[in-house]
Amino acid sequence: MMTLMIASAAVGAVGAVAGAATGIAGGIQSYNQQKENAKAQQNMLEYNARLERREAEAEEAEANEAARRQRAENERLKAAQRAAYGKSGAAIASGSPLAVLGDTAANLELGVQDIHRNGANAYNRRMAQSNSLLYQSRVTGNSVSRGQLWGSIGGGIASGLAGVGNSVSGGVSSYVNIKSAQTKGIIKG
């Protein structure tokens, strides 16, 4: 009878150890899955950051090209204005015609500068978004730590040890109950 109780407690302890091993394996698997998911999300964020950088560079290039075209158009307009003054016979070296040409040139250049400013703003917005995505990528990459792995393993070990303790305690309790029943003559030993 005593051998049966010890065997029962031992089987329970082995089962608890097996449960702990399963818990540890599950913790490791969970950690690996979390790490894999974080890496996939990190890769996606880095890809999106690269796209934002390309878009920023494209916006900057478009603004520069638009400004170049606008300057060329401005030069044609100023040349036409000078030709019209020359054709009319007005002296453009001084006076009102010179002031008009100066105002025209200044206003046209302001338009070019507006194109550059809008392009720079678009570039800066895209770069800020890219930097934000890269930051999120780093945070995501660091979100799964080895501490979580060791926490999972420690939890599995603690659970297994508790199971072993419960099995041994249950075996001892059964042994005490049987001994008490034998002492009282309820069962024969």
Side-chain angles (χ1 to χ4, degrees), residues 12-86:
V14 169
V17 169
T22 302
I24 291 168
I28 292 170
Q29 183 179 11
S30 173
Y31 168 79
N32 287 336
Q33 185 62 48
Q34 289 173 7
K35 192 173 173 183
E36 190 176 306
N37 290 344
K39 186 64 177 170
Q41 188 174 5
Q42 184 179 19
N43 289 341
M44 180 198 63
L45 289 166
E46 288 172 357
Y47 173 78
N48 288 340
R50 285 191 303 273
L51 287 180
E52 283 296 328
R53 283 190 184 276
R54 279 190 224 136
E55 287 295 322
E57 291 165 0
E59 298 233 13
E60 183 179 45
E62 286 175 25
N64 289 337
E65 178 58 22
R68 186 197 63 74
R69 284 192 312 265
Q70 185 62 49
R71 273 210 176 100
E73 179 61 30
N74 293 351
E75 290 302 318
R76 282 190 290 277
L77 178 65
K78 290 188 296 185
Q81 196 177 30
R82 283 190 304 273
Y85 277 122

Side-chain angles (χ1 to χ4, degrees), residues 117-133:
R117 181 179 37 81
N118 291 336
N121 287 341
Y123 174 84
N124 289 334
R125 273 192 307 277
R126 293 283 188 169
M127 290 304 288
Q129 179 63 23
S130 175
N131 291 336
S132 175
L133 289 167

